[in-house]
Amino acid sequence: MLHKEMEHVLALLTPSNALVMRVILHTGMRVSDVLNLKTADLKPSGWYTEQKTGKRRRYGLPGPLLAEIKAQAGPVWAFPGRLDASKHRTRQTIWRDVKRAQRALRMPENVGTHSARKIYAVDLMAKYGDIERVRKALNHDRAMTTAIYAMSDMLLERKLQARERRR
């Protein structure tokens, strides 16, 4: 998935779900980690423990994005549940909204919350040109995993070009 497609997806999401996706795009966090952010812990930068891996990872949020998160945050969770503010929003809620946008846009490629993390990797690779730096930023154990993320834009471009040639 490319940036331009993600911008179209973001435009169709509910504002709060689009904000979650923008946090992923900016930080490379997994959706479950974004949803686990607590209101009391919101600050320009900090550390969190990844739910999937148990590893610690640093994040940074620019002022405007942080202000948007704080403006809609609940008393406990940065992204409270719609019906119960004592619980955080669910991954499934975000995923369903992204899938709804994908269908509305008739996008042939698979789009999900993790697509934003891959775009983050592509951006870092374009900025630094160093797979090891991208690997560390994503907290991956293996550079091969990171390469798949960081080069996903090239793979998609080739796939789209092949599709066009067949027409």
Side-chain angles (χ1 to χ4, degrees), residues 38-54:
K38 293 195 173 182
T39 302
D41 297 333
L42 290 175
K43 50 191 169 198
S45 66
W47 291 88
Y48 69 98
T49 302
E50 294 177 328
Q51 281 199 324
K52 181 178 177 180
T53 65

Side-chain angles (χ1 to χ4, degrees), residues 8 58 80 88 100 106-107 111 127 143 151 162:
H8 295 304
R58 189 164 181 73
H88 64 68
R100 180 191 53 77
R106 295 185 176 140
M107 298 174 88
V111 180
K127 184 176 181 178
M151 294 187 241

Side-chain angles (χ1 to χ4, degrees), residues 57-85:
R57 183 168 182 260
R58 189 164 181 73
Y59 71 90
L61 296 168
L65 186 58
L66 181 59
E68 280 186 70
I69 297 167
K70 286 181 175 181
Q72 59 84 60
V76 177
W77 300 104
F79 296 97
R82 188 174 57 86
L83 301 176
D84 185 356

Side-chain angles (χ1 to χ4, degrees), residues 9-30:
V9 170
L10 291 175
L12 294 180
L13 299 179
T14 64
S16 54
N17 292 341
L19 183 57
V20 170
M21 291 295 286
R22 287 180 37 233
V23 171
I24 298 169
L25 284 166
H26 186 81
T27 64
M29 294 170 83
R30 291 178 180 87

